[in-house]
Amino acid sequence: MGIFGGIKHFIIGLFGGHLYSCDGPGFESTTCVKSSWRTWKTDRDLFDAQCAGNLVQWGDNSTVDSCGRLCIGCTYIRTCCDTSYPFTKFSTTYTTIGDEYTPKIKGLLPKNQEQSDKCYIYMMGSGQNIDIEAYYEYFLEDMASNNFCAAAVEYPESSFIEYVQADVVWKTESIFNPDFPTSAIHQIEKASEGACQCDHIVVHGFSQGGHIATLAANYNPNVDGVLLFSGQCQIGPIDRCNLLQKTQTLIPEDKIRNIFAQDDGILGCGIGDIIARSALHQNKLVTGQNC
């Protein structure tokens, strides 16, 4: 490896990688992918294409290694693939209303049956990238093990800056409206090649993804349940509580739950409802429940 390779691996370790290891049942190194140490995390699709299974510990805990091939301004990199991965993956895109964007969808088919009429939809928080994050795969795997068609759905204009003027209604309709032919729900059914029929939908969202989840039943009557992670409604002066409060949403009170921190420093940064409502106050507004 040499001194330069050692320094490189030390730097990768500081930023979330590990010294290369691909030891485990069914683990195999991928072929080398042309990427760079600066961009490899956003090149997940390139690595996925070389993996007949699932990438091992992708993202912050990824195992990556230089292939040692000369490349000016780039690097050939390999990573570890679990070829014994017990789930069947699918990926596709959907088109937002107005044809402005084609966000990504990544999902798993139900593990133990050929077809399912149950769909689980997860949406990440602002600033999170579907190609970099790996935590949501644990949610998908758990739900696919319970015979759901499970998918993580990206949404457009998801940066922190764009959140200020985010059109949450448009994002929700683009994902869930069954009357829109290229909605995410329809594209999931299409990509599954008949394995998935979203007659019963469980929606799960974090932060801005929670805003979308809260509104999902307003645009799709098949939504049976909503789980929110930090799904409150106000960040300082950015107040969406009139839109997201329970009186404005169609999901029944006994079908929505929010897991949040009372001292949430973003969605609920107020003290005594100064600057913004407290997280507890916001939770009561969104869920309609008194904790």
Side-chain angles (χ1 to χ4, degrees):
M1 179 186 297
I3 186 171
F4 295 108
I7 292 171
K8 175 204 72 180
H9 279 64
F10 174 74
I11 293 172
I12 294 171
L14 290 178
F15 288 91
H18 297 279
L19 294 180
Y20 186 71
S21 175
C22 194
D23 298 323
F27 286 11
E28 297 180 2
S29 295
T30 64
T31 56
C32 297
V33 170
K34 185 179 180 180
S35 181
S36 74
W37 294 121
R38 182 176 56 85
T39 65
W40 67 269
K41 289 185 180 181
T42 61
D43 288 339
R44 180 170 182 170
D45 286 347
L46 300 178
F47 291 94
D48 270 331
Q50 304 301 320
C51 176
N54 198 48
L55 299 173
V56 176
Q57 294 182 310
W58 181 259
D60 289 342
N61 295 316
S62 181
T63 51
V64 290
D65 189 43
S66 171
C67 296
R69 294 166 56 180
L70 180 64
C71 187
I72 305 300
C74 56
T75 307
Y76 282 92
I77 299 170
R78 63 176 179 166
T79 188
C80 191
C81 173
D82 180 2
T83 62
S84 62
Y85 192 62
F87 300 94
T88 301
K89 299 193 293 185
F90 68 88
S91 61
T92 186
T93 61
Y94 69 102
T95 303
T96 59
I97 295 172
D99 299 329
E100 294 182 72
Y101 300 95
T102 54
K104 294 180 179 179
I105 300 171
K106 296 191 175 186
L108 300 177
L109 298 183
K111 184 178 180 182
N112 299 314
Q113 60 189 50
E114 293 183 358
Q115 293 180 317
S116 177
D117 64 354
K118 302 180 297 183
C119 291
Y120 163 83
I121 310 297
Y122 179 71
M123 292 153 299
M124 295 180 292
S126 297
Q128 295 188 318
N129 186 315
I130 198 169
D131 290 324
I132 295 176
E133 305 295 342
Y135 74 89
Y136 65 81
E137 292 183 351
Y138 296 105
F139 303 157
L140 303 190
E141 290 167 0
D142 187 64
M143 297 304 286
S145 294
N146 286 280
N147 296 321
F148 280 77
C149 293
V153 177
E154 188 180 47
Y155 52 87
E157 299 180 358
S158 61
S159 71
F160 292 108
I161 293 175
E162 290 169 312
Y163 176 82
V164 175
Q165 296 182 322
D167 187 343
V168 180
V169 170
W170 164 65
K171 297 178 186 185
T172 307
E173 282 200 81
S174 295
I175 293 171
F176 291 101
N177 192 336
D179 296 325
F180 185 54
T182 60
S183 67
I185 291 296
H186 283 311
Q187 295 305 107
I188 288 169
E189 294 176 336
K190 183 178 179 181
S192 73
E193 298 181 345
C196 304
Q197 188 69 36
C198 296
D199 295 335
H200 302 279
I201 304 171
V202 173
V203 188
H204 182 186
F206 168 54
S207 191
Q208 185 179 171
H211 297 348
I212 298 169
T214 299
L215 295 174
N218 288 24
Y219 302 99
N220 193 311
N222 293 338
V223 174
D224 292 332
V226 172
L227 175 63
L228 310 176
F229 283 175
S230 194
Q232 297 89 263
C233 54
Q234 184 181 7
I235 300 177
I238 307 169
D239 187 352
R240 292 191 171 92
C241 292
N242 287 337
L243 173 67
L244 299 171
Q245 64 183 305
K246 188 66 206 68
T247 57
Q248 302 299 316
T249 59
L250 297 181
I251 190 70
E253 285 186 16
D254 63 344
K255 300 296 183 182
I256 181 170
R257 293 290 185 272
N258 183 30
I259 299 174
F260 68 101
Q262 171 59 31
D263 294 326
D264 191 316
I266 299 177
L267 283 158
C269 56
I271 300 174
D273 283 0
I274 300 172
I275 302 176
R277 300 171 181 89
S278 70
L280 182 59
H281 186 173
Q282 293 184 39
N283 175 70
K284 292 176 180 179
L285 289 174
V286 171
T287 65
Q289 300 177 41
N290 190 337
C291 302

